[in-house]
Amino acid sequence: MSFSTLTKNELARVVGKEKCCKLAELAALVKMDGSLSVGSEPEAALTIGTGNAAVARKIFSLFKEIFGVHTEVLVKRKNRLRKKNLYQVRVSPPTGMTEILRRLGMADAWGQLTGGIPRELVRRECCRRAYLRGAFLGGGSVNNPEGTYHLEIITGNAEHARALGRLMGEFGLEARVSARKNWHVVYLKDSDQIVALLNIMGAHTALLDFENVRIYKDVRNQVNRLVNCETANLNKVVDAALRQVENIRFIAATMGLEKLPPALRQVAEARLQYPDASLRELGEILEPRVGKSGVNHRLRRLDEIANRLRHGGE
């Protein structure tokens, strides 16, 4: 089961405390996945589709609790290979649909369908949280934090997408809106902002799981950076030691180590005897002992002598 599905299953179990919150969440669910059948009152019917059984149960319960209307749930096979069901909650109140649409913020006082989010639905903070929860349940998804950080809500209405972005902005979230074919996507890519939205919607278990994975990833990346840095430094040390041994052997073959000043000869012989030793270890071998910078200075001088000899100098 994907992280996105686990998050939706958790949010489907979150129940608003106030009736206004339940209405706001149901309004978002209907706005995201609802379709109104063509027909005159009272034959008109509202159908809300979802691929999540827990979300379908929530829509069914909210309609029954808020409006007390009869609803039916239809189950259709969406894909034979994946054996995934499509759940359709159908609402056909005997007294007509206009009043329900108006209370859900989908129609104005004259019965005209609207695209945005009516302010009266989200005046209170608890209602804004509930609306975002319903919008995510209806058209949202969040990537597994093991991969790239990405949370999005997809809607077919550009005005609604912009309104969702503004609603997130009221909680300090910097949501972006983009077009994707015939859809409009409201998305977050910053991990801190995704965590904040999960908290706002009430997905606390998903939030903890997200944070655990994020911390693990941060630690793993830090360890990898340290290992890579240490490996790079080790490679540099090995390459330098090989170059030093090669230069010292070249000096020995061309002019002889006995012609070197005593200090240089001493460090040259030590490097040949201990090719894998660090600068600090070489310094401790010498008599008298020499510091790391002193050993490095002498080895650089040996490199210079070898280079002069290669170019025909003395």
Side-chain angles (χ1 to χ4, degrees), residues 262-263 265-267 270 281-291 295 298:
R265 179 179 177 180
Q266 185 185 32
V267 77
E281 290 169 341
L282 281 179
E284 293 176 352
I285 293 169
L286 301 178
E287 290 292 341
R289 291 185 178 183
V290 179
V295 173
R298 296 181 187 185

PDB file of all heavy atoms in Angstrom, residues 262-263 265-267 270 281-291 295 298:
ATOM      1  N   PRO A 262      71.329  16.446   4.216  1.00  0.00           N
ATOM      2  CA  PRO A 262      70.975  15.410   5.200  1.00  0.00           C
ATOM      3  C   PRO A 262      69.489  15.366   5.547  1.00  0.00           C
ATOM      4  O   PRO A 262      68.900  14.276   5.650  1.00  0.00           O
ATOM      5  CB  PRO A 262      71.826  15.795   6.414  1.00  0.00           C
ATOM      6  CG  PRO A 262      72.990  16.524   5.827  1.00  0.00           C
ATOM      7  CD  PRO A 262      72.470  17.268   4.642  1.00  0.00           C
ATOM      8  N   ALA A 263      68.881  16.541   5.732  1.00  0.00           N
ATOM      9  CA  ALA A 263      67.468  16.562   6.107  1.00  0.00           C
ATOM     10  C   ALA A 263      66.590  15.962   5.018  1.00  0.00           C
ATOM     11  O   ALA A 263      65.657  15.193   5.290  1.00  0.00           O
ATOM     12  CB  ALA A 263      67.031  17.997   6.410  1.00  0.00           C
ATOM     13  N   ARG A 265      67.633  13.891   2.593  1.00  0.00           N
ATOM     14  CA  ARG A 265      67.970  12.480   2.433  1.00  0.00           C
ATOM     15  C   ARG A 265      67.254  11.636   3.477  1.00  0.00           C
ATOM     16  O   ARG A 265      66.757  10.543   3.176  1.00  0.00           O
ATOM     17  CB  ARG A 265      69.480  12.309   2.551  1.00  0.00           C
ATOM     18  CG  ARG A 265      69.935  10.851   2.427  1.00  0.00           C
ATOM     19  CD  ARG A 265      71.437  10.753   2.532  1.00  0.00           C
ATOM     20  NE  ARG A 265      71.845   9.342   2.480  1.00  0.00           N
ATOM     21  CZ  ARG A 265      73.117   8.953   2.541  1.00  0.00           C
ATOM     22  NH1 ARG A 265      74.103   9.856   2.654  1.00  0.00           N
ATOM     23  NH2 ARG A 265      73.412   7.670   2.483  1.00  0.00           N
ATOM     24  N   GLN A 266      67.204  12.153   4.707  1.00  0.00           N
ATOM     25  CA  GLN A 266      66.561  11.401   5.800  1.00  0.00           C
ATOM     26  C   GLN A 266      65.083  11.157   5.505  1.00  0.00           C
ATOM     27  O   GLN A 266      64.575  10.038   5.655  1.00  0.00           O
ATOM     28  CB  GLN A 266      66.726  12.166   7.115  1.00  0.00           C
ATOM     29  CG  GLN A 266      66.207  11.409   8.323  1.00  0.00           C
ATOM     30  CD  GLN A 266      66.270  12.249   9.592  1.00  0.00           C
ATOM     31  OE1 GLN A 266      66.127  13.472   9.545  1.00  0.00           O
ATOM     32  NE2 GLN A 266      66.472  11.584  10.714  1.00  0.00           N
ATOM     33  N   VAL A 267      64.377  12.188   5.074  1.00  0.00           N
ATOM     34  CA  VAL A 267      62.940  12.033   4.805  1.00  0.00           C
ATOM     35  C   VAL A 267      62.716  11.197   3.541  1.00  0.00           C
ATOM     36  O   VAL A 267      61.731  10.443   3.438  1.00  0.00           O
ATOM     37  CB  VAL A 267      62.246  13.406   4.706  1.00  0.00           C
ATOM     38  CG1 VAL A 267      62.509  14.090   3.376  1.00  0.00           C
ATOM     39  CG2 VAL A 267      60.738  13.271   4.911  1.00  0.00           C
ATOM     40  N   ALA A 270      63.086   7.606   4.550  1.00  0.00           N
ATOM     41  CA  ALA A 270      61.940   7.203   5.365  1.00  0.00           C
ATOM     42  C   ALA A 270      60.711   6.948   4.494  1.00  0.00           C
ATOM     43  O   ALA A 270      59.964   5.979   4.705  1.00  0.00           O
ATOM     44  CB  ALA A 270      61.637   8.281   6.404  1.00  0.00           C
ATOM     45  N   GLU A 281      53.114  10.405  10.724  1.00  0.00           N
ATOM     46  CA  GLU A 281      53.853   9.190  11.072  1.00  0.00           C
ATOM     47  C   GLU A 281      55.299   9.255  10.591  1.00  0.00           C
ATOM     48  O   GLU A 281      56.230   8.814  11.293  1.00  0.00           O
ATOM     49  CB  GLU A 281      53.149   7.978  10.454  1.00  0.00           C
ATOM     50  CG  GLU A 281      51.812   7.648  11.120  1.00  0.00           C
ATOM     51  CD  GLU A 281      51.013   6.623  10.344  1.00  0.00           C
ATOM     52  OE1 GLU A 281      51.290   6.421   9.143  1.00  0.00           O
ATOM     53  OE2 GLU A 281      50.086   6.038  10.938  1.00  0.00           O
ATOM     54  N   LEU A 282      55.530   9.826   9.402  1.00  0.00           N
ATOM     55  CA  LEU A 282      56.900   9.991   8.917  1.00  0.00           C
ATOM     56  C   LEU A 282      57.711  10.893   9.832  1.00  0.00           C
ATOM     57  O   LEU A 282      58.884  10.635  10.128  1.00  0.00           O
ATOM     58  CB  LEU A 282      56.891  10.570   7.494  1.00  0.00           C
ATOM     59  CG  LEU A 282      56.607   9.618   6.341  1.00  0.00           C
ATOM     60  CD1 LEU A 282      56.608  10.374   5.022  1.00  0.00           C
ATOM     61  CD2 LEU A 282      57.616   8.490   6.296  1.00  0.00           C
ATOM     62  N   GLY A 283      57.059  11.962  10.300  1.00  0.00           N
ATOM     63  CA  GLY A 283      57.750  12.894  11.183  1.00  0.00           C
ATOM     64  C   GLY A 283      58.173  12.256  12.488  1.00  0.00           C
ATOM     65  O   GLY A 283      59.223  12.597  13.056  1.00  0.00           O
ATOM     66  N   GLU A 284      57.339  11.321  12.984  1.00  0.00           N
ATOM     67  CA  GLU A 284      57.676  10.650  14.237  1.00  0.00           C
ATOM     68  C   GLU A 284      58.784   9.613  14.051  1.00  0.00           C
ATOM     69  O   GLU A 284      59.463   9.249  15.013  1.00  0.00           O
ATOM     70  CB  GLU A 284      56.407   9.989  14.797  1.00  0.00           C
ATOM     71  CG  GLU A 284      55.348  10.987  15.239  1.00  0.00           C
ATOM     72  CD  GLU A 284      54.067  10.312  15.687  1.00  0.00           C
ATOM     73  OE1 GLU A 284      53.957   9.086  15.508  1.00  0.00           O
ATOM     74  OE2 GLU A 284      53.174  11.022  16.222  1.00  0.00           O
ATOM     75  N   ILE A 285      58.994   9.157  12.827  1.00  0.00           N
ATOM     76  CA  ILE A 285      60.046   8.183  12.546  1.00  0.00           C
ATOM     77  C   ILE A 285      61.423   8.863  12.526  1.00  0.00           C
ATOM     78  O   ILE A 285      62.434   8.271  12.925  1.00  0.00           O
ATOM     79  CB  ILE A 285      59.765   7.471  11.204  1.00  0.00           C
ATOM     80  CG1 ILE A 285      58.512   6.590  11.318  1.00  0.00           C
ATOM     81  CG2 ILE A 285      60.966   6.641  10.732  1.00  0.00           C
ATOM     82  CD1 ILE A 285      58.019   6.060  10.002  1.00  0.00           C
ATOM     83  N   LEU A 286      61.442  10.111  12.071  1.00  0.00           N
ATOM     84  CA  LEU A 286      62.706  10.821  11.891  1.00  0.00           C
ATOM     85  C   LEU A 286      63.378  11.105  13.229  1.00  0.00           C
ATOM     86  O   LEU A 286      62.725  11.206  14.267  1.00  0.00           O
ATOM     87  CB  LEU A 286      62.466  12.129  11.132  1.00  0.00           C
ATOM     88  CG  LEU A 286      61.829  12.002   9.734  1.00  0.00           C
ATOM     89  CD1 LEU A 286      61.600  13.372   9.138  1.00  0.00           C
ATOM     90  CD2 LEU A 286      62.703  11.148   8.826  1.00  0.00           C
ATOM     91  N   GLU A 287      64.716  11.269  13.177  1.00  0.00           N
ATOM     92  CA  GLU A 287      65.503  11.644  14.357  1.00  0.00           C
ATOM     93  C   GLU A 287      66.304  12.895  14.034  1.00  0.00           C
ATOM     94  O   GLU A 287      67.179  12.870  13.155  1.00  0.00           O
ATOM     95  CB  GLU A 287      66.456  10.497  14.755  1.00  0.00           C
ATOM     96  CG  GLU A 287      65.758   9.284  15.334  1.00  0.00           C
ATOM     97  CD  GLU A 287      65.119   9.552  16.694  1.00  0.00           C
ATOM     98  OE1 GLU A 287      65.532  10.547  17.333  1.00  0.00           O
ATOM     99  OE2 GLU A 287      64.228   8.805  17.097  1.00  0.00           O
ATOM    100  N   PRO A 288      66.069  14.013  14.724  1.00  0.00           N
ATOM    101  CA  PRO A 288      64.979  14.213  15.687  1.00  0.00           C
ATOM    102  C   PRO A 288      63.624  14.290  14.983  1.00  0.00           C
ATOM    103  O   PRO A 288      63.550  14.459  13.786  1.00  0.00           O
ATOM    104  CB  PRO A 288      65.347  15.549  16.321  1.00  0.00           C
ATOM    105  CG  PRO A 288      66.050  16.286  15.238  1.00  0.00           C
ATOM    106  CD  PRO A 288      66.855  15.246  14.483  1.00  0.00           C
ATOM    107  N   ARG A 289      62.567  14.182  15.772  1.00  0.00           N
ATOM    108  CA  ARG A 289      61.228  14.201  15.211  1.00  0.00           C
ATOM    109  C   ARG A 289      60.940  15.542  14.529  1.00  0.00           C
ATOM    110  O   ARG A 289      61.416  16.582  14.957  1.00  0.00           O
ATOM    111  CB  ARG A 289      60.184  13.951  16.298  1.00  0.00           C
ATOM    112  CG  ARG A 289      60.222  12.528  16.844  1.00  0.00           C
ATOM    113  CD  ARG A 289      59.082  12.306  17.818  1.00  0.00           C
ATOM    114  NE  ARG A 289      59.071  10.939  18.321  1.00  0.00           N
ATOM    115  CZ  ARG A 289      58.148  10.460  19.141  1.00  0.00           C
ATOM    116  NH1 ARG A 289      57.162  11.249  19.552  1.00  0.00           N
ATOM    117  NH2 ARG A 289      58.202   9.199  19.544  1.00  0.00           N
ATOM    118  N   VAL A 290      60.131  15.453  13.482  1.00  0.00           N
ATOM    119  CA  VAL A 290      59.770  16.643  12.703  1.00  0.00           C
ATOM    120  C   VAL A 290      58.245  16.711  12.627  1.00  0.00           C
ATOM    121  O   VAL A 290      57.573  15.682  12.525  1.00  0.00           O
ATOM    122  CB  VAL A 290      60.376  16.564  11.283  1.00  0.00           C
ATOM    123  CG1 VAL A 290      59.974  17.786  10.463  1.00  0.00           C
ATOM    124  CG2 VAL A 290      61.880  16.435  11.366  1.00  0.00           C
ATOM    125  N   GLY A 291      57.722  17.911  12.685  1.00  0.00           N
ATOM    126  CA  GLY A 291      56.274  18.089  12.599  1.00  0.00           C
ATOM    127  C   GLY A 291      55.745  17.805  11.204  1.00  0.00           C
ATOM    128  O   GLY A 291      56.497  17.655  10.228  1.00  0.00           O
ATOM    129  N   VAL A 295      57.724  17.924   7.504  1.00  0.00           N
ATOM    130  CA  VAL A 295      57.847  16.791   6.585  1.00  0.00           C
ATOM    131  C   VAL A 295      57.293  17.165   5.220  1.00  0.00           C
ATOM    132  O   VAL A 295      57.895  16.851   4.170  1.00  0.00           O
ATOM    133  CB  VAL A 295      57.110  15.560   7.147  1.00  0.00           C
ATOM    134  CG1 VAL A 295      57.092  14.426   6.127  1.00  0.00           C
ATOM    135  CG2 VAL A 295      57.753  15.101   8.447  1.00  0.00           C
ATOM    136  N   ARG A 298      59.733  19.330   3.272  1.00  0.00           N
ATOM    137  CA  ARG A 298      60.862  18.580   2.722  1.00  0.00           C
ATOM    138  C   ARG A 298      60.457  17.745   1.508  1.00  0.00           C
ATOM    139  O   ARG A 298      61.194  17.653   0.517  1.00  0.00           O
ATOM    140  CB  ARG A 298      61.464  17.672   3.797  1.00  0.00           C
ATOM    141  CG  ARG A 298      62.077  18.443   4.972  1.00  0.00           C
ATOM    142  CD  ARG A 298      62.679  17.489   5.992  1.00  0.00           C
ATOM    143  NE  ARG A 298      63.113  18.218   7.197  1.00  0.00           N
ATOM    144  CZ  ARG A 298      63.756  17.649   8.220  1.00  0.00           C
ATOM    145  NH1 ARG A 298      64.044  16.355   8.178  1.00  0.00           N
ATOM    146  NH2 ARG A 298      64.111  18.356   9.273  1.00  0.00           N
TER     147      ARG A 298
END
